[in-house]
Amino acid sequence: MGGKVEKQSETKVFGGWNRRYKHDSSVLGCSMTFTVYFPSGSNSKLPVLYYLSGLTCNDENVIQKSGCQRAAAQHGIAFVAPDTSPRGLSIEGEDESWDFGSGAGFYLNATQDKWKQYRMYDYITKELPEVLGQFDELDTSNAAITGHSMGGHGALVIGLRNPEQYKSISAFAPICHPVQVPWGEKAFGNYLGSNKEEWKQYDATKLAKSYKGPQRDILIDQGSKDNFLQNQLQPEHFEKAAAGNQALQCTLRMQEGYDHSYFFMASFMDDHIAHAAKHLK
Amino acid sequence: MGGKVEKQSETKVFGGWNRRYKHDSSVLGCSMTFTVYFPSGSNSKLPVLYYLSGLTCNDENVIQKSGCQRAAAQHGIAFVAPDTSPRGLSIEGEDESWDFGSGAGFYLNATQDKWKQYRMYDYITKELPEVLGQFDELDTSNAAITGHSMGGHGALVIGLRNPEQYKSISAFAPICHPVQVPWGEKAFGNYLGSNKEEWKQYDATKLAKSYKGPQRDILIDQGSKDNFLQNQLQPEHFEKAAAGNQALQCTLRMQEGYDHSYFFMASFMDDHIAHAAKHLK
């Protein structure tokens, strides 16, 4: 699984290297691209922080706009930025919406026949770690997860469902209760079908209620002027669900005046990398 | 001069605000866009750091990719990012080259009739400061200048020719001796005509030889793996010229392994903002 990895480019930044790779994904049935930032100067294997991006993005946005490399270098953490969906599968309608299909995989395994190759949950949790296992510099058993918006949803869901695999969880402006908001209803309805019972396994608020794993201290930053806050993101539901679960502690920071952009995320990226560093070996 | 300024957008980042403005430039005869990052928390007027961008860029690249806001906030400096040329003048051939015309104003005043509206030198040194004078938050008499590549050329030339106006000069991978490299020959030949005597006033190396102003301590960072280093940038000429002038001190740092990209620039942006801060009140 995972296939041979080909390096597409490398660029030095903050003393380490952005390296962009391509590989043939057997899970998704297409070629996939991802970027890893490798800090330099460490003699031991690097812990890994997965960063899941939001709607319309690929691996490049966070690498170019967040300044993540500075804190990753400081803490000696490899920063892994995957793409947000399969690409080029020639499914009818795949490229028609900015919030569904290409660039909008929602980090789930689709069950509806038309979209059955959309298996970003398995790609992120199984295939990508296996691919990264080919790199001698990385210790994929020592991993954390974060993400932005749709990727924040992905980080919360994947982190809560796989606590043995991710030692730390955080999110920037995550979609916290997708089963009841327009983005989630559109994506889950099309990828998973009309049976809403199937949707719950990908809803961070539902998962926070039922979570039974080891203690997790989850950091969420949210801009108060984010246009999507009330209709799509709804962090208050996640916060309340986590407050009712003794195994979870959620620190939801409402950041006054910030919007949904990479400027918001860049402003708090250091805190999220420090949060991951605290829980990694 | 400068006209009414209209705010196009504002976004909170690192506690302050990116604000993007449009105004009708009387110097250039077109509408121009620029962005100012205003750090928050200062009770006195903010010093100003002008950042001149390179070929093909507008004001947005450095604002989105360099992480300049972090250090600008830390030092309480307003970071000003202008565009790199006039826009939309409907001059034949204006949009045909990536290294000439739109996005490539070279921070000079063109003398050839066809390009006579290309007067970025006057725009940056006269009109833009006057426009910024409308902002109560800014002290434009307390200013520094920096830039990247073509903008590094602009920063060196403008800083050396106007020491009363800019208290500090630095540059990232500047075009140091444009009169003898392909980018400079193409631009200067077309904008200034064939008399090479006219070119010298826009050549940082020539200016470093003849500079007679107050002491200037100039910081230059240059990536050792920059593809343009030998054919276009040639910082060794500027370094040598500055070494022969007692009024100048040039610290040229050859940064091993870095290229010409925003990743290089982001890696050293903090040092350049700190350099400006050291010389501003």
Side-chain angles (χ1 to χ4, degrees):
Chain A
M1 191 163 75
K4 190 169 169 293
V5 174
E6 282 174 43
K7 187 161 70 181
Q8 304 294 296
S9 65
E10 63 178 0
T11 312
K12 195 167 182 184
V13 54
F14 285 105
W17 295 88
N18 288 333
R19 295 197 174 103
R20 195 169 196 222
Y21 300 95
K22 200 161 81 170
H23 70 116
D24 290 326
S25 163
S26 56
V27 163
L28 303 174
C30 65
S31 173
M32 289 293 282
T33 303
F34 63 89
T35 295
V36 180
Y37 175 67
F38 293 88
S40 66
S42 177
N43 293 321
S44 50
K45 285 195 171 213
L46 298 164
V48 171
L49 172 59
Y50 294 91
Y51 174 91
L52 306 184
S53 292
L55 290 166
T56 77
C57 295
N58 65 10
D59 59 307
E60 292 188 291
N61 310 69
V62 70
I63 291 296
Q64 294 179 354
K65 293 183 169 178
S66 74
C68 60
Q69 295 90 349
R70 171 204 303 268
Q74 190 184 332
H75 292 285
I77 293 175
F79 188 97
V80 177
D83 203 346
T84 53
S85 74
R87 300 282 176 178
L89 294 178
S90 303
I91 301 170
E92 186 210 347
E94 183 180 31
D95 298 326
E96 280 173 15
S97 300
W98 65 272
D99 57 1
F100 181 72
S102 292
F106 274 85
Y107 305 103
L108 50 72
N109 291 332
T111 55
Q112 301 305 290
D113 200 50
K114 182 176 177 184
W115 300 101
K116 65 175 187 251
Q117 283 181 265
Y118 272 64
R119 299 180 63 79
M120 286 299 288
Y121 183 87
D122 277 356
Y123 177 74
I124 297 294
T125 59
K126 298 193 174 77
E127 188 172 31
L128 184 58
E130 196 172 303
V131 168
L132 296 176
Q134 298 174 29
F135 294 89
D136 287 340
E137 306 94 318
L138 304 180
D139 177 6
T140 55
S141 73
N142 193 20
I145 195 162
T146 187
H148 175 231
S149 193
M150 174 184 76
H153 140 75
L156 295 175
V157 165
I158 286 175
L160 289 172
R161 286 178 57 177
N162 303 278
E164 74 296 340
Q165 199 172 337
Y166 306 94
K167 295 179 175 166
S168 168
I169 306 170
S170 78
F172 302 87
I175 306 169
C176 285
H177 204 6
V179 300
Q180 62 165 39
V181 303
W183 279 340
E185 286 170 345
K186 180 175 179 179
F188 288 11
N190 281 289
Y191 290 134
L192 303 173
S194 56
N195 180 358
K196 294 193 175 183
E197 280 302 307
E198 297 291 321
W199 297 13
K200 293 181 179 174
Q201 61 185 311
Y202 298 112
D203 185 280
T205 296
K206 301 273 188 197
L207 293 169
K209 284 181 187 159
S210 59
Y211 179 78
K212 290 191 179 67
Q215 190 72 31
R216 282 289 173 268
D217 153 27
I218 298 170
L219 173 63
I220 296 179
D221 276 310
Q222 171 63 55
S224 74
K225 299 290 186 195
D226 185 326
N227 286 333
F228 301 114
L229 175 53
Q230 293 187 5
N231 286 334
Q232 305 277 14
L233 306 177
Q234 305 184 346
E236 68 280 8
H237 293 300
F238 184 82
E239 185 183 38
K240 188 178 168 196
N245 187 330
Q246 289 193 334
L248 296 176
Q249 185 183 332
C250 173
T251 304
L252 170 61
R253 307 192 303 188
M254 196 58 68
Q255 302 289 3
E256 185 58 36
Y258 286 88
D259 67 9
H260 198 67
S261 70
Y262 278 83
F263 291 119
F264 153 68
M265 204 236 296
S267 300
F268 302 102
M269 178 55 83
D270 282 10
D271 293 349
H272 287 250
I273 292 179
H275 177 82
K278 198 170 64 180
H279 298 99
L280 293 167
K281 276 183 281 198
Chain B
M1 190 163 76
K4 189 168 170 294
V5 174
E6 283 174 42
K7 187 161 70 181
Q8 305 293 295
S9 66
E10 64 177 0
T11 312
K12 195 168 184 184
V13 53
F14 284 106
W17 295 88
N18 287 333
R19 295 196 174 104
R20 194 170 197 221
Y21 300 95
K22 201 163 80 171
H23 72 115
D24 290 327
S25 163
S26 57
V27 164
L28 303 173
C30 65
S31 174
M32 289 293 282
T33 303
F34 63 88
T35 295
V36 181
Y37 175 67
F38 293 89
S40 66
S42 176
N43 293 320
S44 49
K45 286 196 172 212
L46 298 165
V48 171
L49 173 59
Y50 294 92
Y51 173 92
L52 306 184
S53 292
L55 289 167
T56 78
C57 293
N58 65 10
D59 59 307
E60 291 188 292
N61 309 69
V62 71
I63 291 295
Q64 293 178 354
K65 292 183 170 180
S66 73
C68 60
Q69 297 89 351
R70 169 206 303 269
Q74 189 185 333
H75 292 285
I77 294 175
F79 188 97
V80 176
D83 204 347
T84 52
S85 75
R87 299 282 177 178
L89 294 177
S90 303
I91 301 170
E92 185 211 347
E94 184 180 31
D95 298 325
E96 280 174 14
S97 299
W98 66 272
D99 57 0
F100 181 72
S102 293
F106 273 83
Y107 305 103
L108 50 74
N109 291 333
T111 54
Q112 300 305 290
D113 200 52
K114 182 177 177 183
W115 301 101
K116 66 177 186 240
Q117 283 180 265
Y118 273 64
R119 298 180 63 79
M120 287 299 289
Y121 183 86
D122 278 357
Y123 177 74
I124 298 294
T125 59
K126 297 192 174 80
E127 187 171 31
L128 184 58
E130 197 173 302
V131 168
L132 296 176
Q134 298 174 29
F135 294 90
D136 287 341
E137 305 94 317
L138 303 180
D139 178 7
T140 55
S141 73
N142 193 20
I145 194 161
T146 188
H148 175 229
S149 192
M150 175 183 75
H153 141 76
L156 295 175
V157 165
I158 286 174
L160 289 172
R161 287 178 58 178
N162 303 276
E164 74 295 340
Q165 199 172 336
Y166 306 94
K167 296 179 175 167
S168 168
I169 306 171
S170 78
F172 302 86
I175 305 169
C176 286
H177 205 5
V179 301
Q180 62 167 38
V181 304
W183 280 339
E185 287 171 343
K186 178 176 181 180
F188 289 11
N190 281 289
Y191 290 134
L192 303 173
S194 56
N195 180 358
K196 294 194 176 184
E197 280 303 307
E198 297 291 322
W199 298 13
K200 293 181 178 172
Q201 62 185 311
Y202 299 112
D203 184 282
T205 295
K206 302 274 188 195
L207 293 167
K209 285 181 187 160
S210 59
Y211 178 78
K212 290 191 179 66
Q215 190 70 33
R216 283 289 174 269
D217 154 27
I218 298 170
L219 173 63
I220 297 179
D221 276 309
Q222 172 62 56
S224 73
K225 299 290 186 196
D226 186 326
N227 286 333
F228 302 114
L229 174 52
Q230 294 187 5
N231 285 335
Q232 305 277 13
L233 306 176
Q234 304 183 347
E236 67 280 9
H237 294 299
F238 184 83
E239 185 183 38
K240 189 178 168 194
N245 187 330
Q246 290 193 334
L248 296 177
Q249 184 182 331
C250 173
T251 305
L252 170 61
R253 307 193 302 189
M254 197 55 68
Q255 302 289 1
E256 184 58 35
Y258 287 88
D259 67 9
H260 199 65
S261 70
Y262 279 84
F263 291 118
F264 153 67
M265 205 236 294
S267 301
F268 301 102
M269 178 56 83
D270 282 10
D271 292 348
H272 287 250
I273 293 179
H275 177 81
K278 197 170 65 180
H279 298 99
L280 294 167
K281 274 181 284 200

